[in-house]
Amino acid sequence: MSDGFKGMDIVSIRDFSRDQIEHVLDVAEKMLPIAKGEEKSKLLDGKILGSLFYEPSTRTRLSFDAAMTRLGGSTLGFDEPKGSSVAKGETLADTIRMVDAYCDVIVLRHPQEGAARMSAHFADKPILNAGDGAGQHPTQTMLDLFTIRKSKGKIDGNHVVIVGDLKYGRTVHSLSEALAMFGAELTFVAPPSLQMPKEHLKHIQSLGTKPKISSNLEDVIKDADVLYVTRIQKERFPDPAEYQKVAGAFRIDLPMLKDVKKGMVIMHPLPRVTEISPEVDKTEHAKYFEQAFNGVPVRMALLSMVLGAVE
Ligand code: NCD
Protein backbone atom coordinates (compact mmCIF):
# COMPACT_ATOMS: atom_id res chain seq x y z
CA MET A 1 0.00 0.00 0.00
CA SER A 2 2.45 2.64 1.21
CA ASP A 3 4.98 2.40 -1.61
CA GLY A 4 2.01 2.94 -3.92
CA PHE A 5 2.32 6.68 -3.22
CA LYS A 6 5.54 7.22 -5.17
CA GLY A 7 4.71 8.91 -8.48
CA MET A 8 0.99 8.99 -7.63
CA ASP A 9 -1.29 11.78 -8.88
CA ILE A 10 -3.60 13.20 -6.23
CA VAL A 11 -6.65 14.23 -8.22
CA SER A 12 -9.68 13.04 -6.27
CA ILE A 13 -10.27 11.77 -2.76
CA ARG A 14 -11.86 8.75 -4.45
CA ASP A 15 -8.35 7.66 -5.49
CA PHE A 16 -7.59 6.82 -1.83
CA SER A 17 -8.59 4.07 0.56
CA ARG A 18 -9.26 4.79 4.21
CA ASP A 19 -5.97 3.06 5.14
CA GLN A 20 -4.04 5.24 2.73
CA ILE A 21 -5.60 8.42 4.12
CA GLU A 22 -4.79 7.34 7.67
CA HIS A 23 -1.22 6.67 6.62
CA VAL A 24 -0.92 10.22 5.19
CA LEU A 25 -2.24 11.64 8.49
CA ASP A 26 0.30 9.57 10.46
CA VAL A 27 3.16 10.86 8.30
CA ALA A 28 1.84 14.43 8.69
CA GLU A 29 1.88 14.02 12.47
CA LYS A 30 5.61 13.20 12.31
CA MET A 31 6.19 16.29 10.14
CA LEU A 32 4.80 18.67 12.78
CA PRO A 33 8.12 19.75 14.39
CA ILE A 34 9.56 20.54 10.93
CA ALA A 35 6.35 22.34 9.89
CA LYS A 36 6.64 24.53 12.98
CA GLY A 37 10.31 25.29 12.26
CA GLU A 38 11.47 23.53 15.44
CA GLU A 39 13.50 20.99 13.46
CA LYS A 40 15.37 21.34 10.17
CA SER A 41 15.07 18.90 7.27
CA LYS A 42 16.77 18.24 3.93
CA LEU A 43 14.34 15.48 2.96
CA LEU A 44 13.45 17.08 -0.38
CA ASP A 45 16.83 18.72 -0.99
CA GLY A 46 17.14 19.67 -4.69
CA LYS A 47 13.53 18.84 -5.52
CA ILE A 48 11.40 21.43 -7.31
CA LEU A 49 7.65 21.96 -7.03
CA GLY A 50 5.91 23.55 -10.03
CA SER A 51 3.08 25.63 -8.59
CA LEU A 52 0.45 26.65 -11.16
CA PHE A 53 -2.45 28.69 -9.82
CA TYR A 54 -4.99 29.76 -12.43
CA GLU A 55 -7.33 30.93 -9.63
CA PRO A 56 -6.73 33.03 -6.49
CA SER A 57 -5.30 31.30 -3.44
CA THR A 58 -3.67 32.26 -0.16
CA ARG A 59 -3.50 29.21 2.11
CA THR A 60 -3.21 26.43 -0.44
CA ARG A 61 -0.44 28.06 -2.47
CA LEU A 62 1.54 29.40 0.48
CA SER A 63 1.26 26.22 2.54
CA PHE A 64 2.52 24.13 -0.41
CA ASP A 65 5.38 26.61 -0.73
CA ALA A 66 6.10 26.50 3.01
CA ALA A 67 5.93 22.68 2.99
CA MET A 68 8.42 22.41 0.13
CA THR A 69 10.79 25.02 1.64
CA ARG A 70 10.70 23.49 5.14
CA LEU A 71 11.80 20.17 3.59
CA GLY A 72 14.75 21.77 1.76
CA GLY A 73 13.13 21.87 -1.69
CA SER A 74 12.07 24.86 -3.77
CA THR A 75 9.08 26.14 -5.71
CA LEU A 76 8.61 27.91 -9.03
CA GLY A 77 5.48 28.84 -10.93
CA PHE A 78 2.81 31.51 -11.10
CA ASP A 79 0.01 32.73 -8.86
CA GLU A 80 -2.00 34.14 -11.71
CA PRO A 81 -1.82 33.12 -15.35
CA LYS A 82 -1.62 36.73 -16.64
CA GLY A 83 2.16 36.85 -16.28
CA SER A 84 2.71 33.55 -18.13
CA SER A 85 2.27 32.36 -21.72
CA VAL A 86 -1.29 31.41 -20.80
CA ALA A 87 -2.05 35.08 -21.58
CA LYS A 88 -0.77 34.43 -25.15
CA GLY A 89 -3.22 31.57 -25.57
CA GLU A 90 -1.09 28.59 -24.56
CA THR A 91 -3.18 25.52 -23.76
CA LEU A 92 -3.12 23.92 -20.33
CA ALA A 93 -1.73 20.74 -21.90
CA ASP A 94 1.29 22.60 -23.34
CA THR A 95 1.95 24.52 -20.12
CA ILE A 96 1.85 21.26 -18.18
CA ARG A 97 4.27 19.57 -20.61
CA MET A 98 6.77 22.39 -20.05
CA VAL A 99 6.49 22.56 -16.29
CA ASP A 100 6.75 18.76 -16.21
CA ALA A 101 10.23 19.14 -17.68
CA TYR A 102 11.31 21.82 -15.17
CA CYS A 103 10.00 20.23 -11.94
CA ASP A 104 9.68 17.02 -9.95
CA VAL A 105 6.06 17.46 -8.87
CA ILE A 106 3.27 19.85 -9.93
CA VAL A 107 0.46 21.45 -7.93
CA LEU A 108 -2.39 22.83 -10.04
CA ARG A 109 -5.43 24.98 -9.27
CA HIS A 110 -7.72 25.61 -12.23
CA PRO A 111 -11.28 26.90 -12.73
CA GLN A 112 -12.28 23.95 -14.90
CA GLU A 113 -13.56 20.72 -13.39
CA GLY A 114 -11.45 17.84 -14.69
CA ALA A 115 -8.37 20.03 -15.36
CA ALA A 116 -6.18 18.10 -12.91
CA ARG A 117 -7.19 14.71 -14.32
CA MET A 118 -6.49 15.94 -17.85
CA SER A 119 -3.11 17.39 -16.78
CA ALA A 120 -2.13 14.07 -15.25
CA HIS A 121 -2.31 12.58 -18.77
CA PHE A 122 0.22 15.10 -20.07
CA ALA A 123 2.66 14.97 -17.15
CA ASP A 124 5.05 12.22 -16.12
CA LYS A 125 5.55 13.86 -12.73
CA PRO A 126 2.86 13.64 -10.03
CA ILE A 127 -0.01 16.15 -10.31
CA LEU A 128 -1.56 17.37 -7.07
CA ASN A 129 -5.03 18.85 -7.53
CA ALA A 130 -5.33 22.07 -5.51
CA GLY A 131 -8.91 22.57 -6.66
CA ASP A 132 -10.49 22.05 -10.09
CA GLY A 133 -13.48 24.37 -10.41
CA ALA A 134 -16.41 23.02 -8.43
CA GLY A 135 -14.87 19.52 -8.60
CA GLN A 136 -12.56 18.29 -5.86
CA HIS A 137 -9.91 19.57 -3.43
CA PRO A 138 -8.32 16.40 -2.03
CA THR A 139 -5.32 17.91 -0.21
CA GLN A 140 -7.67 20.26 1.65
CA THR A 141 -9.67 17.20 2.69
CA MET A 142 -6.57 15.54 4.12
CA LEU A 143 -5.84 18.59 6.27
CA ASP A 144 -9.50 18.79 7.28
CA LEU A 145 -9.40 15.15 8.40
CA PHE A 146 -6.10 15.77 10.19
CA THR A 147 -7.76 18.66 12.07
CA ILE A 148 -10.82 16.58 13.01
CA ARG A 149 -8.65 13.70 14.21
CA LYS A 150 -6.47 16.05 16.27
CA SER A 151 -9.36 17.88 17.91
CA LYS A 152 -11.80 14.99 18.41
CA GLY A 153 -9.34 12.09 18.76
CA LYS A 154 -10.93 10.18 15.87
CA ILE A 155 -12.87 10.73 12.65
CA ASP A 156 -15.49 7.98 12.69
CA GLY A 157 -18.44 8.31 15.02
CA ASN A 158 -18.51 12.11 14.83
CA HIS A 159 -21.58 13.94 13.61
CA VAL A 160 -20.31 16.44 11.06
CA VAL A 161 -22.70 19.20 10.02
CA ILE A 162 -21.62 20.79 6.75
CA VAL A 163 -23.17 24.15 5.98
CA GLY A 164 -23.00 26.67 3.15
CA ASP A 165 -22.46 26.23 -0.57
CA LEU A 166 -22.60 22.48 -1.07
CA LYS A 167 -23.33 22.81 -4.77
CA TYR A 168 -20.21 24.66 -5.91
CA GLY A 169 -17.92 24.05 -2.90
CA ARG A 170 -15.18 21.66 -3.97
CA THR A 171 -13.82 21.32 -0.41
CA VAL A 172 -17.09 19.79 0.78
CA HIS A 173 -17.38 17.47 -2.22
CA SER A 174 -14.08 15.81 -1.30
CA LEU A 175 -14.60 16.06 2.45
CA SER A 176 -18.07 14.54 2.60
CA GLU A 177 -16.96 11.61 0.44
CA ALA A 178 -13.99 11.00 2.74
CA LEU A 179 -16.13 11.29 5.88
CA ALA A 180 -18.55 8.75 4.45
CA MET A 181 -15.60 6.41 3.91
CA PHE A 182 -14.75 6.81 7.61
CA GLY A 183 -18.32 6.18 8.70
CA ALA A 184 -18.97 9.63 10.16
CA GLU A 185 -22.56 10.81 10.50
CA LEU A 186 -23.33 13.61 8.01
CA THR A 187 -25.87 16.44 7.87
CA PHE A 188 -25.91 18.81 4.89
CA VAL A 189 -27.36 22.27 5.55
CA ALA A 190 -27.90 24.64 2.61
CA PRO A 191 -30.63 26.56 0.82
CA PRO A 192 -32.30 24.00 -1.50
CA SER A 193 -30.64 25.59 -4.57
CA LEU A 194 -27.16 25.00 -3.07
CA GLN A 195 -27.60 21.46 -1.74
CA MET A 196 -25.11 18.66 -2.38
CA PRO A 197 -25.21 17.58 -6.05
CA LYS A 198 -26.80 14.19 -6.78
CA GLU A 199 -23.60 12.73 -8.12
CA HIS A 200 -21.83 13.21 -4.76
CA LEU A 201 -24.89 12.11 -2.79
CA LYS A 202 -25.00 8.88 -4.77
CA HIS A 203 -21.33 8.21 -4.11
CA ILE A 204 -21.75 8.94 -0.39
CA GLN A 205 -24.73 6.59 -0.20
CA SER A 206 -22.79 3.89 -2.05
CA LEU A 207 -20.33 4.00 0.88
CA GLY A 208 -23.15 3.13 3.26
CA THR A 209 -23.83 6.62 4.69
CA LYS A 210 -27.23 8.26 4.54
CA PRO A 211 -26.77 12.00 5.08
CA LYS A 212 -29.55 14.12 6.56
CA ILE A 213 -30.56 17.10 4.42
CA SER A 214 -31.71 20.37 5.99
CA SER A 215 -31.99 24.06 5.24
CA ASN A 216 -32.17 25.16 8.85
CA LEU A 217 -28.95 25.28 10.86
CA GLU A 218 -30.73 26.04 14.17
CA ASP A 219 -32.43 22.62 13.96
CA VAL A 220 -29.18 20.65 13.85
CA ILE A 221 -26.38 22.72 15.38
CA LYS A 222 -27.03 21.33 18.90
CA ASP A 223 -26.24 17.78 17.72
CA ALA A 224 -23.02 18.64 15.90
CA ASP A 225 -19.59 17.39 16.97
CA VAL A 226 -18.03 19.28 14.06
CA LEU A 227 -19.54 22.25 12.25
CA TYR A 228 -17.88 22.73 8.85
CA VAL A 229 -18.78 26.14 7.43
CA THR A 230 -18.17 27.20 3.83
CA ARG A 231 -18.28 30.38 1.78
CA ILE A 232 -20.92 30.83 -0.91
CA GLN A 233 -18.78 30.47 -4.05
CA LYS A 234 -19.76 33.75 -5.70
CA GLU A 235 -17.36 33.28 -8.63
CA ARG A 236 -19.11 30.07 -9.77
CA PHE A 237 -22.61 31.54 -10.14
CA PRO A 238 -23.50 31.98 -13.82
CA ASP A 239 -26.06 34.65 -12.81
CA PRO A 240 -25.14 37.33 -10.20
CA ALA A 241 -28.86 37.71 -9.35
CA GLU A 242 -28.89 34.07 -8.21
CA TYR A 243 -25.92 34.78 -5.93
CA GLN A 244 -27.73 37.75 -4.39
CA LYS A 245 -30.64 35.46 -3.44
CA VAL A 246 -28.43 33.27 -1.25
CA ALA A 247 -25.65 35.66 -0.16
CA GLY A 248 -25.50 35.84 3.64
CA ALA A 249 -27.83 32.84 4.02
CA PHE A 250 -25.91 31.65 7.11
CA ARG A 251 -23.95 33.45 9.76
CA ILE A 252 -22.51 31.80 12.85
CA ASP A 253 -22.43 34.21 15.79
CA LEU A 254 -22.22 33.88 19.59
CA PRO A 255 -25.98 33.53 20.27
CA MET A 256 -26.10 30.59 17.84
CA LEU A 257 -23.50 28.76 19.93
CA LYS A 258 -25.50 28.99 23.17
CA ASP A 259 -26.65 25.35 23.28
CA VAL A 260 -23.96 23.56 21.28
CA LYS A 261 -22.11 20.51 22.64
CA LYS A 262 -19.05 21.13 24.74
CA GLY A 263 -16.02 20.40 22.57
CA MET A 264 -17.91 21.05 19.33
CA VAL A 265 -15.39 22.33 16.79
CA ILE A 266 -16.01 24.88 14.08
CA MET A 267 -13.99 24.53 10.89
CA HIS A 268 -13.84 26.55 7.67
CA PRO A 269 -11.47 26.07 4.72
CA LEU A 270 -11.24 29.90 4.53
CA PRO A 271 -11.44 32.53 3.17
CA ARG A 272 -14.53 33.50 5.14
CA VAL A 273 -16.64 36.45 4.10
CA THR A 274 -19.60 36.85 6.46
CA GLU A 275 -20.35 33.21 7.43
CA ILE A 276 -18.55 33.34 10.79
CA SER A 277 -18.69 36.43 12.92
CA PRO A 278 -15.17 37.44 14.15
CA GLU A 279 -16.36 37.27 17.79
CA VAL A 280 -16.51 33.46 17.35
CA ASP A 281 -12.72 33.40 16.81
CA LYS A 282 -12.07 33.72 20.54
CA THR A 283 -14.29 30.79 21.54
CA GLU A 284 -12.96 27.29 22.33
CA HIS A 285 -14.92 26.07 19.29
CA ALA A 286 -12.95 27.97 16.64
CA LYS A 287 -10.43 25.70 14.91
CA TYR A 288 -10.17 27.30 11.48
CA PHE A 289 -6.81 29.02 11.94
CA GLU A 290 -5.23 25.87 13.33
CA GLN A 291 -6.85 24.02 10.41
CA ALA A 292 -5.14 26.41 7.96
CA PHE A 293 -1.75 25.78 9.62
CA ASN A 294 -2.33 22.02 9.31
CA GLY A 295 -2.02 22.46 5.56
CA VAL A 296 1.75 22.64 6.07
CA PRO A 297 2.43 19.24 7.75
CA VAL A 298 -0.18 17.48 5.61
CA ARG A 299 1.26 18.86 2.36
CA MET A 300 4.78 18.01 3.59
CA ALA A 301 3.58 14.44 4.00
CA LEU A 302 1.97 14.30 0.56
CA LEU A 303 4.95 15.87 -1.23
CA SER A 304 7.44 13.52 0.48
CA MET A 305 5.29 10.50 -0.29
CA VAL A 306 4.64 11.18 -3.98
CA LEU A 307 8.34 12.01 -4.41
CA GLY A 308 9.29 8.70 -2.82
CA ALA A 309 11.23 10.30 0.09
CA VAL A 310 8.88 8.72 2.64
CA GLU A 311 6.99 5.45 2.24
C1 NCD B 1 -11.26 26.94 -0.71
C2 NCD B 1 -11.15 26.70 -2.19
O1 NCD B 1 -10.34 27.35 -2.88
O2 NCD B 1 -11.84 25.82 -2.66
N1 NCD B 1 -10.17 27.55 -0.13
C3 NCD B 1 -9.07 26.81 0.23
O3 NCD B 1 -8.46 26.15 -0.58
N2 NCD B 1 -8.72 26.81 1.52
C4 NCD B 1 -12.56 27.47 -0.26
C5 NCD B 1 -13.11 28.73 -0.85
O4 NCD B 1 -12.51 29.37 -1.72
O5 NCD B 1 -14.20 29.12 -0.41
PDB file of all heavy atoms in Angstrom, residues 60 109 137 140 170-171 231 233 269-271, ligand 1:
ATOM      1  N   THR A  60      -3.635  27.641   0.269  1.00  0.00           N
ATOM      2  CA  THR A  60      -3.207  26.432  -0.440  1.00  0.00           C
ATOM      3  C   THR A  60      -1.831  26.663  -1.074  1.00  0.00           C
ATOM      4  O   THR A  60      -0.902  25.873  -0.889  1.00  0.00           O
ATOM      5  CB  THR A  60      -4.252  26.034  -1.497  1.00  0.00           C
ATOM      6  OG1 THR A  60      -5.512  25.925  -0.847  1.00  0.00           O
ATOM      7  CG2 THR A  60      -3.901  24.714  -2.147  1.00  0.00           C
ATOM      8  N   ARG A 109      -4.060  24.516  -9.543  1.00  0.00           N
ATOM      9  CA  ARG A 109      -5.429  24.978  -9.272  1.00  0.00           C
ATOM     10  C   ARG A 109      -5.958  25.596 -10.557  1.00  0.00           C
ATOM     11  O   ARG A 109      -5.288  26.422 -11.176  1.00  0.00           O
ATOM     12  CB  ARG A 109      -5.455  26.013  -8.150  1.00  0.00           C
ATOM     13  CG  ARG A 109      -6.821  26.693  -8.034  1.00  0.00           C
ATOM     14  CD  ARG A 109      -6.974  27.515  -6.797  1.00  0.00           C
ATOM     15  NE  ARG A 109      -7.106  26.670  -5.616  1.00  0.00           N
ATOM     16  CZ  ARG A 109      -7.332  27.142  -4.392  1.00  0.00           C
ATOM     17  NH1 ARG A 109      -7.456  28.427  -4.201  1.00  0.00           N
ATOM     18  NH2 ARG A 109      -7.436  26.312  -3.369  1.00  0.00           N
ATOM     19  N   HIS A 137     -11.042  18.882  -4.065  1.00  0.00           N
ATOM     20  CA  HIS A 137      -9.909  19.570  -3.432  1.00  0.00           C
ATOM     21  C   HIS A 137      -9.320  18.589  -2.402  1.00  0.00           C
ATOM     22  O   HIS A 137      -9.431  18.768  -1.196  1.00  0.00           O
ATOM     23  CB  HIS A 137     -10.431  20.840  -2.759  1.00  0.00           C
ATOM     24  CG  HIS A 137      -9.389  21.854  -2.394  1.00  0.00           C
ATOM     25  ND1 HIS A 137      -8.039  21.575  -2.374  1.00  0.00           N
ATOM     26  CD2 HIS A 137      -9.502  23.157  -2.016  1.00  0.00           C
ATOM     27  CE1 HIS A 137      -7.381  22.664  -2.007  1.00  0.00           C
ATOM     28  NE2 HIS A 137      -8.248  23.640  -1.788  1.00  0.00           N
ATOM     29  N   GLN A 140      -6.932  19.545   0.603  1.00  0.00           N
ATOM     30  CA  GLN A 140      -7.671  20.257   1.651  1.00  0.00           C
ATOM     31  C   GLN A 140      -8.394  19.242   2.547  1.00  0.00           C
ATOM     32  O   GLN A 140      -8.405  19.361   3.777  1.00  0.00           O
ATOM     33  CB  GLN A 140      -8.684  21.222   1.011  1.00  0.00           C
ATOM     34  CG  GLN A 140      -9.602  21.935   2.002  1.00  0.00           C
ATOM     35  CD  GLN A 140      -8.914  23.036   2.800  1.00  0.00           C
ATOM     36  OE1 GLN A 140      -8.101  23.773   2.256  1.00  0.00           O
ATOM     37  NE2 GLN A 140      -9.244  23.149   4.069  1.00  0.00           N
ATOM     38  N   ARG A 170     -15.977  22.872  -3.692  1.00  0.00           N
ATOM     39  CA  ARG A 170     -15.178  21.663  -3.967  1.00  0.00           C
ATOM     40  C   ARG A 170     -14.631  21.049  -2.683  1.00  0.00           C
ATOM     41  O   ARG A 170     -14.454  19.836  -2.585  1.00  0.00           O
ATOM     42  CB  ARG A 170     -14.034  22.002  -4.914  1.00  0.00           C
ATOM     43  CG  ARG A 170     -13.163  23.163  -4.433  1.00  0.00           C
ATOM     44  CD  ARG A 170     -12.311  23.690  -5.564  1.00  0.00           C
ATOM     45  NE  ARG A 170     -11.566  24.885  -5.209  1.00  0.00           N
ATOM     46  CZ  ARG A 170     -11.063  25.723  -6.100  1.00  0.00           C
ATOM     47  NH1 ARG A 170     -11.233  25.521  -7.387  1.00  0.00           N
ATOM     48  NH2 ARG A 170     -10.377  26.781  -5.730  1.00  0.00           N
ATOM     49  N   THR A 171     -14.370  21.897  -1.662  1.00  0.00           N
ATOM     50  CA  THR A 171     -13.821  21.324  -0.415  1.00  0.00           C
ATOM     51  C   THR A 171     -14.807  20.331   0.188  1.00  0.00           C
ATOM     52  O   THR A 171     -14.406  19.289   0.686  1.00  0.00           O
ATOM     53  CB  THR A 171     -13.509  22.419   0.632  1.00  0.00           C
ATOM     54  OG1 THR A 171     -14.712  23.054   1.018  1.00  0.00           O
ATOM     55  CG2 THR A 171     -12.541  23.450   0.108  1.00  0.00           C
ATOM     56  N   ARG A 231     -17.927  29.124   2.438  1.00  0.00           N
ATOM     57  CA  ARG A 231     -18.275  30.383   1.777  1.00  0.00           C
ATOM     58  C   ARG A 231     -19.176  30.083   0.577  1.00  0.00           C
ATOM     59  O   ARG A 231     -18.973  29.078  -0.102  1.00  0.00           O
ATOM     60  CB  ARG A 231     -16.963  31.025   1.298  1.00  0.00           C
ATOM     61  CG  ARG A 231     -17.066  32.281   0.488  1.00  0.00           C
ATOM     62  CD  ARG A 231     -15.656  32.773   0.101  1.00  0.00           C
ATOM     63  NE  ARG A 231     -14.987  31.900  -0.862  1.00  0.00           N
ATOM     64  CZ  ARG A 231     -15.102  31.995  -2.191  1.00  0.00           C
ATOM     65  NH1 ARG A 231     -15.851  32.933  -2.731  1.00  0.00           N
ATOM     66  NH2 ARG A 231     -14.463  31.162  -2.995  1.00  0.00           N
ATOM     67  N   GLN A 233     -19.810  30.317  -3.014  1.00  0.00           N
ATOM     68  CA  GLN A 233     -18.781  30.467  -4.047  1.00  0.00           C
ATOM     69  C   GLN A 233     -19.250  31.425  -5.162  1.00  0.00           C
ATOM     70  O   GLN A 233     -19.570  31.006  -6.276  1.00  0.00           O
ATOM     71  CB  GLN A 233     -18.425  29.089  -4.640  1.00  0.00           C
ATOM     72  CG  GLN A 233     -18.099  28.024  -3.585  1.00  0.00           C
ATOM     73  CD  GLN A 233     -16.687  28.132  -3.057  1.00  0.00           C
ATOM     74  OE1 GLN A 233     -15.732  27.927  -3.793  1.00  0.00           O
ATOM     75  NE2 GLN A 233     -16.553  28.482  -1.779  1.00  0.00           N
ATOM     76  N   PRO A 269     -12.709  26.150   5.521  1.00  0.00           N
ATOM     77  CA  PRO A 269     -11.473  26.070   4.716  1.00  0.00           C
ATOM     78  C   PRO A 269     -10.852  27.455   4.519  1.00  0.00           C
ATOM     79  O   PRO A 269      -9.684  27.549   4.143  1.00  0.00           O
ATOM     80  CB  PRO A 269     -11.947  25.474   3.386  1.00  0.00           C
ATOM     81  CG  PRO A 269     -13.416  25.768   3.311  1.00  0.00           C
ATOM     82  CD  PRO A 269     -13.902  25.795   4.742  1.00  0.00           C
ATOM     83  N   LEU A 270     -11.636  28.506   4.749  1.00  0.00           N
ATOM     84  CA  LEU A 270     -11.244  29.900   4.535  1.00  0.00           C
ATOM     85  C   LEU A 270     -10.956  30.118   3.035  1.00  0.00           C
ATOM     86  O   LEU A 270     -10.578  29.175   2.369  1.00  0.00           O
ATOM     87  CB  LEU A 270     -10.042  30.289   5.402  1.00  0.00           C
ATOM     88  CG  LEU A 270     -10.243  30.079   6.920  1.00  0.00           C
ATOM     89  CD1 LEU A 270      -8.940  30.432   7.668  1.00  0.00           C
ATOM     90  CD2 LEU A 270     -11.397  30.931   7.470  1.00  0.00           C
ATOM     91  N   PRO A 271     -11.114  31.285   2.482  1.00  0.00           N
ATOM     92  CA  PRO A 271     -11.441  32.527   3.169  1.00  0.00           C
ATOM     93  C   PRO A 271     -12.916  32.599   3.596  1.00  0.00           C
ATOM     94  O   PRO A 271     -13.778  32.089   2.902  1.00  0.00           O
ATOM     95  CB  PRO A 271     -11.156  33.586   2.095  1.00  0.00           C
ATOM     96  CG  PRO A 271     -11.423  32.881   0.790  1.00  0.00           C
ATOM     97  CD  PRO A 271     -10.986  31.472   1.021  1.00  0.00           C
TER      98      PRO A 271
HETATM   99  C1  NCD B   1     -11.264  26.936  -0.709  1.00  0.00           C
HETATM  100  C2  NCD B   1     -11.147  26.700  -2.193  1.00  0.00           C
HETATM  101  O1  NCD B   1     -10.337  27.347  -2.880  1.00  0.00           O
HETATM  102  O2  NCD B   1     -11.842  25.820  -2.655  1.00  0.00           O
HETATM  103  N1  NCD B   1     -10.170  27.554  -0.134  1.00  0.00           N
HETATM  104  C3  NCD B   1      -9.066  26.805   0.229  1.00  0.00           C
HETATM  105  O3  NCD B   1      -8.455  26.147  -0.579  1.00  0.00           O
HETATM  106  N2  NCD B   1      -8.716  26.807   1.519  1.00  0.00           N
HETATM  107  C4  NCD B   1     -12.562  27.465  -0.264  1.00  0.00           C
HETATM  108  C5  NCD B   1     -13.114  28.731  -0.848  1.00  0.00           C
HETATM  109  O4  NCD B   1     -12.512  29.366  -1.720  1.00  0.00           O
HETATM  110  O5  NCD B   1     -14.204  29.122  -0.406  1.00  0.00           O
END
